[in-house]
Amino acid sequence: MRGRTWGLRLLLLLGLGLGSQEALPPPCESQIYCHGELLHQVQMAKLYQDDKQFVDMPLSLAPDQVLRRFRELAQAHNLSIPRQELQAFVQEHFRAVGQELQPWTPGDWRDSPQFLQKILDPKLRAWAGQLHQLWKKLGKKMKPEVLSHPEQFSLIYSRHPFIVPGGRFVEFYYWDSYWVMEGLLLSEMPQTVKGMLQNFLDLVQTYGHVPNGARVYYLQRSQPPLLTLMMDRYVAHTNDTAFLRDHIETLASELDFWSKNRSISVSSGGKSYILNHYEVPYGGPRPESYSKDAELAATLPEGNRDTLLAELKAGAESGWDFSSRWLLGGPNLSSLSSIRTSKLVPVDLNAFLCQAEGLMSNFYSRLGYRNLRAQRMAALKDVLWDEGKGAWFDYDLENDKKKLEFYPSNFAPLWAGCFSDSDDADKALKYLEDSRILTYQYGIPTSLRKTGQQWDFPNAWAPLQDLVIRGREAGMGPTPPQHHEVRGSASLALGRRE
Ligand SMILES: *[C@@H]1O[C@H](CO)[C@@H](O)[C@H](O)[C@H]1NC(C)=O
Ligand SMILES: *[C@@H]1O[C@H](CO)[C@@H](O)[C@H](O)[C@H]1NC(C)=O
Ligand SMILES: *[C@@H]1O[C@H](CO)[C@@H](O)[C@H](O)[C@H]1NC(C)=O
Ligand SMILES: *[C@@H]1O[C@H](CO)[C@@H](O)[C@H](O)[C@H]1NC(C)=O
């Protein structure tokens, strides 16, 4: 479905002028790190070998001041700033990369985790030991200034320290972190994993999804969805059910993002299915690979450029940036300009989501609803069921006994499917027949007492008719029923009458 509207949205984007602020508000508003003239000029001048370097540099002044001075510079040079002037401008207004992070030795790092002892080959054990040492090199935490002046950094502040991939990747990434966490658990470092998980959950809370990595210029896209699996590995290792309980809603909202923003309808054998794909509905070059993207786009007719740029971003979202997997259209099937990522329904993405859906359902069981129900069913039987009368009754705590009077609510366990013994259902039905409750001309009375109260004889309330009528059906049926919609209609009726 989203696939079909895609072309339309893209047209809308084009019509509004891509990259300008009037377009669908891009998840990253920064006029320095995400789009705008300054980014364009600096990246197209190729001041650095790697475009990522510029967008990783912190500002030395507030962004509006830097932008104002840039406009002055651009005007002074009639919009074509000489390279040297541009270089000097960047040097004056930006700081060197890596300033915002500091080294961090994980607090739960220990010299000899058990897995090392289990490796018999001495060479392999030594190698694994070196790998284990790497956690101390790759551990990073953020300086407090990233929190106090977020507008001066492309880095997104994270509360907890983390492990980075290393090399040019000095921030953390989404799907990479799953395998990092598997390694950390093997190294018996669950506290580090918990902090990283918390960072990802914070991102979902703030942005509605997990971005590709912890930089504002990655906010437009996600990466293969492995957050639920990360939680599963952590909980399997630690039994930290409290953490799971606190964050299960956030996990669910990440999956919502995939179903709302990344789903597509596919027909097969006359049936229609909803599956997922990678798709980034924003044009413009990727800020961290700006000149490469812009140059590739320039090889295409103008009308095709924004599609290409969006498909490149979708390719980056897949984690496979880039691969022949995503090449489909175009005259040259080995050229990246043939990329059509969003036109493929990826096996791995759909398998990851299938796994996450299974894990979520296990999580809810694990959080105890299955047990709670079993305990409550046992209590309903032991406390509220009266074998002599053959029905359920309210329990009077004051006098420590059941209040053995007729109310339609006595049959709610039948209606709710909360009985395990079909003999009890039979007895309850017999109680209903014997008490001749169903013979009242104007419906099932609320009680048999005439007190003048609304919820007493002879009034008959709609919800109570339903409790008894459908409860009776359920008691006669082969399996306890599952009601869902009933409660809504019952409370509607109540609302109207009161
Ligand atoms: C500035 O550029 C415009 C268009 O590129 C040109 O018409 C104009 O003469 C230029 N002005 C100066 C002062 O160079
Ligand atoms: C998902 O799509 C809706 C519009 O369809 C958009 O408003 C929202 O920002 C998107 N969510 C994210 C996290 O990109
Ligand atoms: C977690 O709990 C399960 C079941 O209670 C138990 O079998 C397992 O040993 C526990 N694991 C840890 C790491 O405590
Ligand atoms: C196709 O694209 C590849 C990669 O960019 C390039 O090496 C090759 O020369 C192109 N082939 C043709 C026929 O243009």
Side-chain angles (χ1 to χ4, degrees):
M1 234 157 61
R2 291 190 61 82
R4 293 206 185 107
T5 58
W6 200 89
L8 180 66
R9 266 189 294 147
L10 199 65
L11 275 176
L12 273 172
L13 282 170
L14 287 169
L16 290 167
L18 258 169
S20 74
Q21 269 185 317
E22 299 79 45
L24 281 184
C28 174
E29 313 247 306
S30 169
Q31 289 284 320
I32 291 170
Y33 293 120
C34 298
H35 45 92
E37 195 57 28
L38 171 53
L39 178 70
H40 181 78
Q41 294 268 343
V42 172
Q43 298 293 42
M44 296 315 282
K46 299 194 189 181
L47 297 185
Y48 306 98
Q49 262 187 349
D50 182 349
D51 285 355
K52 189 171 182 301
Q53 182 163 347
F54 172 63
V55 286
D56 287 356
M57 292 166 74
L59 295 169
S60 29
L61 291 173
D64 49 346
Q65 280 177 283
V66 174
L67 283 169
R68 181 156 38 76
R69 293 201 191 168
F70 176 75
R71 274 191 294 271
E72 284 161 15
L73 179 71
Q75 266 160 21
H77 292 280
N78 202 9
L79 290 182
S80 60
I81 307 161
R83 187 189 161 84
Q84 286 211 324
E85 301 268 336
L86 201 56
Q87 183 105 55
F89 180 85
V90 171
Q91 258 156 27
E92 193 184 331
H93 296 91
F94 290 80
R95 292 182 275 160
V97 294
Q99 303 280 301
E100 65 272 66
L101 291 164
Q102 48 195 124
W104 170 71
T105 301
D108 50 2
W109 192 90
R110 297 283 174 278
D111 226 338
S112 41
Q114 280 180 12
F115 84 94
L116 286 178
Q117 269 70 80
K118 291 192 197 144
I119 301 175
L120 299 180
D121 184 313
K123 268 192 195 155
L124 282 180
R125 194 187 319 129
W127 176 70
Q130 285 163 10
L131 285 183
H132 179 66
Q133 293 285 336
L134 280 180
W135 298 130
K136 293 186 288 185
K137 283 221 171 62
L138 298 173
K140 304 280 172 207
K141 68 176 182 187
M142 297 206 179
K143 289 192 185 159
E145 62 196 276
V146 186
L147 178 61
S148 56
H149 293 94
E151 71 287 353
Q152 295 193 7
F153 300 88
S154 64
L155 199 67
I156 299 171
Y157 182 76
S158 305
R159 286 193 278 160
H160 300 278
F162 45 85
I163 301 290
V164 302
R168 80 191 266 256
F169 303 113
V170 296
E171 54 284 310
F172 63 82
Y173 284 77
Y174 184 6
W175 81 317
D176 306 61
S177 294
Y178 163 67
W179 283 278
V180 166
M181 288 180 187
E182 287 280 16
L184 287 169
L185 292 175
L186 193 63
S187 286
E188 297 162 37
M189 297 165 68
Q191 276 308 312
T192 299
V193 172
K194 185 177 188 173
M196 291 179 70
L197 259 172
Q198 183 74 66
N199 290 339
F200 283 118
L201 293 162
D202 287 348
L203 288 168
V204 175
Q205 297 242 309
T206 309
Y207 301 107
H209 71 294
V210 181
N212 186 141
R215 293 272 181 188
V216 292
Y217 54 75
Y218 288 138
L219 281 173
Q220 292 182 337
R221 58 186 200 249
S222 189
Q223 249 195 344
L226 296 175
L227 181 58
T228 310
L229 182 60
M230 293 175 189
M231 178 66 92
D232 179 66
R233 302 320 302 143
Y234 169 73
V235 172
H237 192 91
T238 60
N239 277 348
D240 188 352
T241 311
F243 187 70
L244 173 63
R245 188 186 306 277
D246 286 348
H247 299 291
I248 190 154
E249 299 297 327
T250 309
L251 295 178
S253 52
E254 200 236 348
L255 295 179
D256 275 356
F257 161 78
W258 287 91
S259 66
K260 287 197 185 120
N261 294 54
R262 296 291 188 267
S263 68
I264 188 162
S265 154
V266 186
S267 299
S268 175
K271 281 195 188 167
S272 172
Y273 300 89
I274 301 291
L275 283 166
N276 289 81
H277 65 159
Y278 296 109
E279 181 196 32
V280 180
Y282 301 105
R286 289 170 298 151
E288 81 287 5
S289 297
Y290 197 100
S291 59
K292 265 194 211 148
D293 285 4
E295 282 163 10
L296 186 65
T299 66
L300 297 187
E302 195 146 348
N304 298 350
R305 290 181 192 163
D306 279 310
T307 308
L308 171 74
L309 293 168
E311 293 290 4
L312 285 171
K313 289 179 177 178
E317 183 170 80
S318 77
W320 290 49
D321 39 334
F322 290 102
S323 161
S324 60
R325 248 185 110 185
W326 312 129
L327 303 186
L328 271 186
N332 182 350
L333 263 181
S334 341
S335 160
L336 201 48
S337 59
S338 311
I339 190 165
R340 299 287 184 277
T341 319
S342 73
K343 302 295 180 202
L344 286 147
V345 179
V347 180
D348 47 0
L349 173 60
N350 286 285
F352 293 151
L353 289 168
C354 172
Q355 180 184 45
E357 285 151 0
L359 291 172
M360 284 302 281
S361 110
N362 292 345
F363 286 164
Y364 279 109
S365 299
R366 186 184 174 104
L367 289 181
Y369 290 105
R370 204 179 283 158
N371 282 343
L372 290 176
R373 174 180 160 88
Q375 283 168 23
R376 190 182 302 274
M377 295 247 291
L380 275 166
K381 174 77 190 241
D382 289 351
V383 183
L384 306 181
W385 172 258
D386 188 85
E387 187 65 24
K389 290 266 189 186
W392 293 268
F393 295 91
D394 300 332
Y395 191 80
D396 166 1
L397 293 169
E398 198 83 350
N399 298 296
D400 233 351
K401 59 177 192 184
K402 281 166 283 217
K403 190 168 186 220
L404 294 172
E405 289 193 43
F406 166 81
Y407 298 102
S409 48
N410 294 352
F411 302 94
L414 291 179
W415 180 88
C418 282
F419 59 96
S420 47
D421 198 338
S422 63
D423 281 354
D424 291 356
D426 292 343
K427 285 176 196 151
L429 294 178
K430 186 164 182 302
Y431 169 87
L432 203 55
E433 297 297 329
D434 293 351
S435 57
R436 303 172 60 84
I437 294 302
L438 299 173
T439 63
Y440 286 89
Q441 191 181 354
Y442 298 112
I444 299 157
T446 307
S447 75
L448 300 179
R449 282 171 177 265
K450 206 169 171 179
T451 60
Q453 298 295 337
Q454 273 197 333
W455 287 75
D456 263 321
F457 192 87
N459 293 334
W461 291 89
L464 305 183
Q465 311 307 302
D466 183 56
L467 276 185
V468 175
I469 293 167
R470 288 210 285 167
R472 191 163 164 267
E473 269 168 32
M476 294 188 292
T479 49
Q482 301 292 322
H483 289 303
H484 295 294
E485 70 286 12
V486 180
R487 286 179 192 84
S489 60
S491 54
L492 254 183
L494 263 177
R496 203 173 48 237
R497 295 283 288 275
E498 273 175 348

